[in-house]
Amino acid sequence: MPNMDGFALTAAIRRSARFRNLPVVLLTALSSESDKARGMQSGADAYLVKRAFDQQLLLETLRQLT
């Protein structure tokens, strides 16, 4: 994404009156604990790492958020 990463996009969504209740799942290659903490602090509802990707986990996460 030009000029914005997923953390910034998530924070912008949370600041928006129109979209603040939109569920946000970050699916990323960034796997450190500090990256996960940053994602959750930006307002993500879930943080999934690509290298540990599990389709069932993604589906369960989406079910929980809807």
Side-chain angles (χ1 to χ4, degrees), residues 40-59:
M40 299 308 288
Q41 288 170 353
S42 70
D45 295 294
Y47 191 94
L48 304 175
V49 178
K50 288 179 184 178
R51 75 171 176 176
F53 180 76
D54 177 347
Q55 184 175 355
Q56 286 306 115
L57 176 60
L58 175 61
L59 293 172

Side-chain angles (χ1 to χ4, degrees), residues 17-46:
R18 182 175 178 190
F19 296 113
R20 92 173 28 116
N21 294 319
L22 180 72
V24 176
V25 177
L26 294 177
L27 180 59
T28 179
L30 303 175
S31 60
S32 73
E33 286 301 315
S34 62
D35 291 324
K36 181 177 180 177
R38 183 175 172 208
M40 299 308 288
Q41 288 170 353
S42 70
D45 295 294

